[in-house]
Amino acid sequence: MTARGSAVLSYLLLSATALLAVAGIVLAVSRQAAGYFAVEAAIGLVSSLLGWFVTRRRPGNPVGPLLALLGFCPMLMAVSDMAVGSLPPLVEAIRTGIWMLWYVPPALLLLYFPDGLLPGPRWRWVSRGLIAVPAVFVVGAVFDPAAWPSGPPEVPWPIGPVALGVALAMLPLLLGLLVASAVSMVVRYRRTTDPVGRARIKWLALGAGLLPGTLLLCWFSYLLRGDSDLVMVGLTVTGVGIPAAATVAMLRHDLYDVDRALSATITYGLITTGLLAVYTVVAFAGGRLLGSDSATTAAAATAVCAVLLAPLRRRIQAPVDRRLYPVRRAALAAVDRLRVDARDGRARPEQLAEVLRGALRDPALRVGYRLPGADELVGADGGPLGAVPAADTVPVRLRGEEIGALVRGTTGSRELMRELADAIAFPVEVVRLRIDLARALRDVESSRARLLQAAYAERRRLERDLHDGAQQRLVSLGLAFRLAQRRPAPGELDGLLDHAVAELGTAVAELRRIANGLRPSSLDDGLAAALRGLVDTVPVPVTVSVEVAGVPEDVAITAYYVVSEAVANAVKHAAAGHIDVRVHDGGARLRVEVADDGRGGAVQAPGSGLSGLADRVAAAGGTLRLVSPAGRGTRIAAELPCAS
C-alpha cells in the first residue's frame, strides 16, 4: 500500500465514522438510547482517530487504515441497530448478517501487524478468506426468512435453502480463520529476531489480553451483582484498549516495559480467575447450607479469598516471570545470589556490575557509586565513571539518599532498571562505603608521608633561619663581649656596647619571627583578634565574622592557618574583589569558611599550599572541602573537631 493510498483510506474511514456517529446520535436521542450509543461512538471514534494518527506517522503501513476500519465497522453496526425497523426490507435482511464485521478488522490486524506484511505467502488465503467469508455469509443470510420482517420475497426453490446452507457453512470457516489469524501472530513472533518487532507484537498481545479480562468481569458481575451490566465496561475498555495498544506499539514501543506489563496482566488475571473460582465454590456451598443471601456466606468467601491471595500470587508470579519476563527474574536472582556469595566470602560486592551485565546480557551496563560528600559518580575501582547520559541513568536510593546510579546500556527498560535499582541498594551502599574507606586509607598514608616531608622541610628551614639569622647575631654579640673584656678605651667600649645591644635586639626579632611561624603570637589575644589582625593588611576588602568561645589551642592554630592560606591565595591568584571569612563554633565542630568572588578554578594539586593545608586539617582530625567553579569564585570550608 502506498503512502498516499493509506492516507486517503484512513481519512475516508475516519470521515465515514464521524458521519455515522452524528447520524447515530440523532437516532439514539429519538429512541432514548443515547447512553448505549455514546459508548459505541466513543469506541469507534477513538479507534478511527488513532488509525488516522498512525497513518500520519507511519505512511504506507496498512496498520493505520486497519485501525480506522476497526472503528468504522462497530460504528456501522451500532447505527444499523439504532435504525432497525425504519430501513428498507433488503437492508434489514443484510443487517442481520453483517455482525461478522466485528471480527474481520481485528483478525486482519493480527495478520498484518506490525510491518504491514503477511508472515508468508501461504497466509494470503487467510487474508482473502476474511474478506470473502463475511461477504458470502451476508449474501446467504439474505435468504433466511427470519431476516425479512414482512416476509421474504419469492425465490426459486433450490436457491434459498442452498444459499442458507452455504451461509451456515461460513460459521466454522470464520472460526478457523480467526484461529489462523491468532496463530499468525505467534508464528511472526517466533520468526522475528528484531527486539523492536517482538516488543510491538507483545504490545498488541497485551491489548488482546483485555478480551479474557472482559469475560472475568462478566463472571464477577454475575457473581456479585446478579446482572451483566459490568460487561459493557469491559467491552468499552477492550474496544479502546486494543487500538491504543496497537498505536503505542507502532509509535512508542519503548514507552513502558511491555514484558513487565504483560507478566503483571497475566499474573493478576490468573489470580483473579482463581479467587473468583474459590469465591464461587465457597458461596455455592454456603448458599446450600445457609441460604443464598446469607451475610455469613459472603463474609466467609471473602475471608478465604483474602487468605489465599498472598500465597497464590507467589505461586503464580514465579512461573509467569520465568516464561514471560525471564530477564527480570534472571537479574533479581543474580543480585540475590551475589548477596549470599558476598556474605559467605565467595564473591566481592564490587562484582555487582559484572553480575548484572551477565544477567541482562548487556555488556554496556554500568553501576556508578556516589561517595559521601561527592558530586560525581565513580566506578567500583574508585575511578571516574565517565560520561553518563541522563536519559539512560536511574538513581539508586537508600533511605531517601542517592547513593549511586544504574546506567542502562543497550537492553533493559527504565521500569526494569528502576526495579533493579531498588534491589541493588544494599550492595551499592556496601561498595561505596568500601571505596570511601579505601580512599580515606590512601589519603591517610599519603597525608602521613606529606606531613613527614613537611616536618623535615620545616626543620631544615628552622635550621637555616637560625644559622643565618639569630645564630649569626649571637656570634657577633659574643665577639663584641670578647672585645669588651680587653678593656678598650672608654669611647670604644660605648660603641661595642651599643653594637651588642643592637645585635641582641636583632636576634630577639629574628627569634620572634621564627616563633611566630610556629605559633602566631597574635593568638595570645584570642582567635577573633588574631584573624582581624591578619586581614588588616590585606589590600582587598575582607568581611570577618567570628563566633567562637574557648577554642582549644591546637584548633585555633589550625583555623588561623586555614584563613591565612585561603586569604593569601585569594589575593595572589584569584584576583578577588571581596573576601568573606566566617568562623563559627558549632559545639562539637568548629567550621571555618573563606569565600571570594575571584576567577575560581582552584585545584588541590599535590605539593601545593592547598594540599599542605588539607594535610594540616586532616592531622587535626578535620575535613577540608574546596569548591571553585571556573569564573564563579572559590570557597574553602574546613570542619575541625572542637571539644570546647
Side-chain angles (χ1 to χ4, degrees):
M1 180 177 289
T2 64
R4 181 176 178 81
S6 64
V8 171
L9 183 57
S10 295
Y11 180 76
L12 290 176
L13 288 171
L14 175 60
S15 301
T17 304
L19 292 175
L20 287 173
V22 173
I25 290 174
V26 173
L27 291 172
V29 171
S30 64
R31 297 179 180 236
Q32 297 182 350
Y36 163 77
F37 186 78
V39 174
E40 297 289 340
I43 295 174
L45 287 173
V46 167
S47 184
S48 296
L49 281 170
L50 291 176
W52 176 76
F53 186 66
V54 170
T55 301
R56 292 287 302 272
R57 299 291 299 275
R58 297 289 184 269
N61 193 315
V63 170
L66 285 175
L67 288 176
L69 183 64
L70 190 62
F72 170 78
C73 290
M75 184 69 73
L76 176 63
M77 287 180 284
V79 172
S80 67
D81 289 341
M82 289 292 102
V84 64
S86 59
L87 298 173
L90 179 60
V91 178
E92 287 279 4
I94 293 174
R95 186 190 66 81
T96 61
I98 64 173
W99 60 266
M100 279 193 176
L101 295 181
W102 269 105
Y103 303 96
V104 172
L108 290 174
L109 185 64
L110 294 178
L111 277 173
Y112 286 95
F113 190 87
D115 54 7
L117 302 175
L118 291 170
R122 297 179 180 179
W123 295 92
R124 284 198 297 264
W125 294 104
V126 179
S127 175
R128 294 168 182 172
L130 287 171
I131 303 298
V133 166
V136 172
F137 180 80
V138 169
V139 173
V142 170
F143 292 92
D144 183 8
W148 298 81
S150 58
E154 291 292 334
V155 178
W157 175 77
I159 297 178
V162 171
L164 189 57
V166 171
L168 293 176
M170 295 298 104
L171 296 177
L173 282 179
L174 177 65
L175 180 60
L177 291 172
L178 294 178
V179 172
S181 299
V183 171
S184 73
M185 188 172 67
V186 177
V187 171
R188 187 190 298 273
Y189 180 80
R190 290 182 174 179
R191 291 178 180 176
T192 301
T193 58
D194 179 23
V196 174
R198 294 175 74 92
R200 286 174 171 170
I201 295 173
K202 289 177 182 178
W203 272 109
L204 186 61
L206 181 63
L210 295 172
L211 288 172
T214 302
L215 296 178
L216 290 177
L217 194 61
C218 178
W219 186 0
F220 176 81
S221 181
Y222 274 115
L223 187 62
L224 298 184
R225 295 169 54 93
D227 55 42
S228 60
D229 293 345
L230 293 180
V231 175
M232 288 304 299
V233 177
L235 291 175
T236 303
V237 173
T238 302
V240 175
I242 291 178
T247 302
V248 171
M250 293 299 297
L251 305 182
R252 288 292 305 276
H253 68 277
D254 57 348
L255 179 65
Y256 188 79
D257 189 349
V258 65
D259 288 330
R260 181 178 184 180
L262 198 58
S263 174
T265 300
I266 293 178
T267 297
Y268 286 103
L270 293 175
I271 291 173
T272 303
T273 303
L275 293 180
L276 285 175
V278 171
Y279 191 96
T280 302
V281 172
V282 174
F284 177 78
R288 300 285 292 180
L289 296 175
L290 303 175
S292 59
D293 297 331
S294 172
T296 304
T297 300
T302 304
V304 171
C305 291
V307 170
L308 292 177
L309 176 60
L312 189 62
R313 182 183 181 278
R314 287 194 297 268
R315 294 292 297 271
I316 292 177
Q317 183 77 60
V320 171
D321 278 353
R322 191 183 307 114
R323 185 69 178 174
L324 298 177
Y325 205 4
V327 174
R328 171 185 178 272
R329 181 174 176 81
L332 294 178
V335 173
D336 291 339
R337 190 163 52 251
L338 175 64
R339 187 182 293 113
V340 174
D341 290 346
R343 182 195 62 195
D344 297 339
R346 295 190 298 269
R348 296 183 300 109
E350 287 79 4
Q351 295 174 279
L352 177 61
E354 178 184 349
V355 167
L356 289 178
R357 282 194 287 266
L360 296 174
R361 298 179 182 177
D362 184 0
L365 181 139
R366 292 179 292 168
V367 179
Y369 306 90
R370 193 177 303 281
L371 302 184
D375 295 328
E376 69 280 354
L377 294 171
V378 300
D381 58 354
L385 191 64
V388 178
D392 296 329
T393 303
V394 177
V396 179
R397 291 186 173 88
L398 184 64
R399 294 185 294 273
E401 178 188 1
E402 185 174 333
I403 60 174
L406 194 58
V407 184
R408 181 178 58 174
T410 57
T411 62
S413 64
R414 288 190 63 86
E415 288 71 28
L416 178 58
M417 293 297 107
R418 292 191 189 101
E419 189 172 1
L420 287 178
D422 293 336
I424 66 174
F426 181 72
V428 168
E429 175 72 359
V430 172
V431 173
R432 78 161 188 149
L433 292 179
R434 285 163 62 103
I435 295 173
D436 191 44
L437 178 60
R439 180 174 291 187
L441 292 175
R442 288 195 300 269
D443 289 344
V444 167
E445 292 178 359
S446 59
S447 177
R448 184 185 297 117
R450 290 194 299 269
L451 286 173
L452 287 174
Q453 294 173 1
Y456 293 147
E458 186 68 13
R459 288 179 183 178
R460 288 192 295 269
R461 185 186 68 80
L462 289 174
E463 180 183 1
R464 184 175 59 253
D465 289 348
L466 289 172
H467 179 273
D468 297 340
Q471 180 178 333
Q472 297 298 327
R473 306 297 179 189
L474 293 176
V475 169
S476 177
L477 181 61
L479 292 175
F481 284 138
R482 181 68 65 183
L483 291 174
Q485 285 180 338
R486 297 178 181 178
R487 298 179 181 179
E492 293 180 2
L493 181 60
D494 292 339
L496 288 173
L497 292 177
D498 290 340
H499 176 71
V501 170
E503 289 293 330
L504 183 60
T506 303
V508 170
E510 291 283 348
L511 290 174
R512 283 178 177 173
R513 182 181 62 80
I514 294 173
N516 192 66
L518 298 176
R519 178 194 177 278
S521 59
S522 57
L523 286 173
D524 294 340
D525 298 326
L527 180 60
L531 294 179
R532 291 190 176 93
L534 174 67
V535 302
D536 281 344
T537 59
V538 175
V540 175
V542 181
T543 301
V544 179
S545 173
V546 182
E547 298 178 6
V548 295
V551 179
E553 178 76 6
D554 55 340
V555 176
I557 294 174
T558 304
Y560 180 89
Y561 281 116
V562 169
V563 175
S564 176
E565 180 70 22
V567 170
N569 285 342
V571 173
K572 294 179 182 178
H573 309 297
H578 183 270
I579 302 173
D580 186 25
V581 177
R582 296 177 181 272
V583 181
H584 298 280
D585 184 1
R589 300 184 75 82
L590 181 71
R591 183 171 180 83
V592 181
E593 289 189 17
V594 180
D596 64 66
D597 58 356
R599 61 171 61 98
V603 293
Q604 190 174 316
S608 65
L610 288 175
S611 178
L613 190 61
D615 291 339
R616 183 187 289 270
V617 171
T623 58
L624 184 74
R625 180 177 173 84
L626 170 67
V627 179
S628 184
R632 295 168 56 187
T634 300
R635 183 172 66 88
I636 296 176
E639 287 193 0
L640 302 167
C642 178
S644 59

